[in-house]
Amino acid sequence: MTAQARGRCRICGGGVEEVLDLGRQPLSDAFRRPDDTGPEFFHRLAAGRCRACTMVQLTSEVPRERMFHQGYPYRSSGSAVMREHFARTALGYAETELAGRDAPFFVEIGCNDGALLRTMAGAGVRHLGFEPSGGVAAVARGHGVNVSTDFFEEATAAAVRESHGPADVIYAANTICHLPYMESVLRGVAALLAPDGVFAFEDPYLGDILQKTSFDQIYDEHFFLFCARSVRSMAERFGFELVGVERLPVHGGEVRYTLAKAGARRPAAAVRRLLDWEDEQGVADPEALAAFASAVADIRSDLIDLLRMLRAAGKSVAGYGATAKSATVTNYCGIGPDLVSYVCDTTPAKQDRVTPGAHIPVRSPEFFAENRPDYALLFAWNHADEILAKEREFREAGGKWITYVPEVRVL
Ligand code: DWN
Ligand code: SAH
Ligand code: ZN
């Protein structure tokens, strides 16, 4: 199985024009054993824009089983802020959409370790999570969450409609943008969703990505970069209507889109406001994307210059957070263990491995405490508040943080 180059939009079949080439990249979550000398999978990572529907998307596709499997390492519950965000999200639906319904049914696509559904389980709400990555699905089950390890798509969604009846809410966080086979997914949603139900999903927002030049939101798993305009067009194509949008501060800026079956609900005023704002800003315009691509190249040279200068001055640098995003940064910029000697991360399945492509060793936070570098490169910049608060001592002892979002800076 190799990556499939397409050149055609995965939503509407229109022509896709490449806007940013991020070069040869590994699978962003394929952390390797240090002694593994076997071949490593690489693909060419590039983003493009559909001339017809404006959807920004990767120009080639990695087979889903290569990314999402038993050993998929990412755990949603690794951040206290995200645990809180998901608990609040679950309670919000329990108190609004689900309240007053007879035996309501809540479905989550990509429930991972159950960060959100454990609250539903705890509240006794009928629920089901789809999670094909078996390792994290088992963690969710350990928290009392009902999980199917099928990939959500038309056939698997229809089967759940048969066995469980319609869903009142279908929710997904950081998952819908991972699914190139969108037609099948939205047919599945149409089959499973109750006539007056809602389908809501939160994903990194193109408007924020452009504003912050956060090009590391582009990697194999993130197939689409959504904005309100492209999501509205996608929704309408498959018999839905975009009825709600909400900007969220998590993961560097996301939008929660709410879709309903066409004609079932009145769109909130916020939808028009965000669409107008996107028009004013030119969020999905080719010019904005060209400016983004040139800002990305500037960040690469600034970051490499800084790291080389620090090495020449005899300073030590470690990475903080072995994120999927950091695979794009290290492999695009050519950052290896010579410039960043290790990366510290709390995830057990990443520790004592090396990062994809760049092969930087991953170590525990305890190792970081005992082997303090002069500088820490914040790969998990989206969790900056949480991390800087918990690592206050690093700074107090003279340690410095480096970030590259929205520009290369020493904090
Ligand atoms: O969309 C996706 C998002 C939700 O999660 C997936 N495709 C893959 C993954 O992307 P990521 O790896 O870039 O996500 P995070 O949440 O930025 O990853 C943070 C990493 O940093 C994790 O490996 C955990 C680690 N971490 C840490 O070591 N100490 C995180 C925090 C908050 C910490 O204090
Ligand atoms: N919702 C979590 C996890 C996001 S990572 C959070 O926001 O933190 C994306 C998750 O989607 C992974 O756990 C992956 O295994 C899962 N996934 C990928 N394809 C899927 C599909 N077709 N159906 C359901 N889950 C899927
Ligand atoms: Zn299109």
Side-chain angles (χ1 to χ4, degrees):
M1 289 193 294
T2 53
Q4 292 292 309
R6 295 201 171 258
R8 292 270 139 204
C9 174
R10 280 300 239 146
I11 303 300
C12 78
V16 172
E17 185 169 8
E18 187 172 304
V19 294
L20 176 63
D21 178 4
L22 291 163
R24 186 171 172 266
Q25 291 280 347
L27 301 173
S28 60
D29 266 312
F31 291 82
R32 281 160 73 88
R33 293 206 168 76
D35 57 358
D36 187 350
T37 52
E40 191 167 7
F41 178 91
F42 283 91
H43 64 114
R44 183 171 166 270
L45 181 69
R49 170 188 181 276
C50 174
R51 287 192 196 91
C53 76
T54 76
M55 183 66 84
V56 177
Q57 57 199 282
L58 300 189
T59 58
S60 70
E61 188 172 317
V62 172
R64 62 190 188 180
E65 294 80 6
R66 273 199 180 270
M67 299 184 281
F68 309 117
H69 46 70
Q70 185 65 29
Y72 182 70
Y74 183 71
R75 290 207 190 175
S76 311
S77 297
S79 151
V81 169
M82 292 312 298
R83 289 198 297 276
E84 166 70 27
H85 169 73
F86 289 130
R88 222 176 323 114
T89 301
L91 288 175
Y93 282 104
E95 288 162 5
T96 57
E97 285 292 333
L98 303 178
R101 296 199 187 228
D102 192 23
F105 183 34
F106 184 96
V107 171
E108 187 184 2
I109 306 173
C111 71
N112 197 272
D113 63 1
L116 189 154
L117 285 184
R118 55 184 81 166
T119 300
M120 288 297 182
V125 175
R126 206 159 62 91
H127 67 275
L128 178 67
F130 278 84
E131 181 44 73
S133 296
V136 291
V139 177
R141 286 192 182 118
H143 288 276
V145 170
N146 305 322
V147 187
S148 158
T149 50
D150 287 336
F151 283 92
F152 184 95
E153 58 192 333
E154 186 173 7
T156 53
V160 168
R161 173 73 166 82
E162 279 293 301
S163 55
H164 291 63
D168 301 293
V169 175
I170 302 180
Y171 199 78
N174 306 298
T175 300
I176 298 306
C177 74
H178 294 54
L179 312 179
Y181 39 100
M182 192 64 78
E183 176 165 2
S184 173
V185 169
L186 291 180
R187 283 178 189 277
V189 171
L192 180 54
L193 194 64
D196 61 343
V198 290
F199 170 43
F201 51 98
E202 52 179 87
D203 284 291
Y205 179 47
L206 180 61
D208 286 304
I209 292 170
L210 298 186
Q211 214 160 43
K212 298 181 180 154
T213 320
S214 47
F215 66 99
D216 55 352
Q217 291 287 12
I218 305 172
Y219 53 92
D220 53 353
E221 297 173 20
H222 282 181
F223 188 82
F224 293 112
L225 299 183
F226 293 143
C227 65
R229 188 209 275 206
S230 60
V231 166
R232 182 183 58 166
S233 148
M234 170 176 104
E236 288 172 358
R237 196 170 183 86
F238 296 102
F240 294 96
E241 200 168 352
L242 177 62
V243 297
V245 288
E246 188 184 343
R247 289 185 80 156
L248 306 172
V250 295
H251 287 306
E254 303 205 314
V255 169
R256 176 184 291 143
Y257 305 93
T258 301
L259 274 50
K261 291 190 170 173
R265 297 208 181 192
R266 245 173 104 93
V271 174
R272 175 51 36 216
R273 279 203 300 273
L274 189 59
L275 287 165
D276 288 347
W277 183 82
E278 289 183 359
D279 281 347
E280 272 164 43
Q281 302 287 315
V283 166
D285 291 354
E287 298 74 29
L289 293 164
F292 169 68
S294 116
V296 172
D298 290 347
I299 288 182
R300 167 163 65 177
S301 50
D302 290 352
L303 184 55
I304 278 294
D305 287 353
L306 174 63
L307 294 175
R308 287 195 182 135
M309 192 265 282
L310 292 173
R311 185 182 54 184
K315 302 292 185 194
S316 57
V317 181
Y320 203 104
T323 57
K325 294 183 289 293
S326 69
T328 295
V329 178
T330 54
N331 291 283
Y332 171 69
C333 300
I335 299 169
D338 54 327
L339 293 177
V340 172
S341 52
Y342 68 90
V343 186
C344 114
D345 195 287
T346 49
T347 314
K350 296 182 183 178
Q351 288 167 3
D352 299 320
R353 301 213 167 201
V354 298
T355 63
H359 297 180
I360 303 172
V362 183
R363 301 285 180 245
S364 64
E366 294 70 35
F367 185 92
F368 180 77
E370 288 156 15
N371 299 270
R372 293 243 188 259
D374 298 313
Y375 290 77
L377 176 54
L378 187 56
F379 286 128
W381 55 268
N382 46 312
H383 302 300
D385 291 347
E386 180 174 350
I387 290 173
L388 267 56
K390 86 158 88 153
E391 295 290 357
R392 201 171 304 134
E393 281 178 20
F394 168 64
R395 212 175 196 172
E396 286 168 0
K400 294 196 164 61
W401 291 99
I402 301 171
T403 188
Y404 48 87
V405 177
E407 63 198 350
V408 176
R409 257 184 321 138
V410 175
L411 303 180

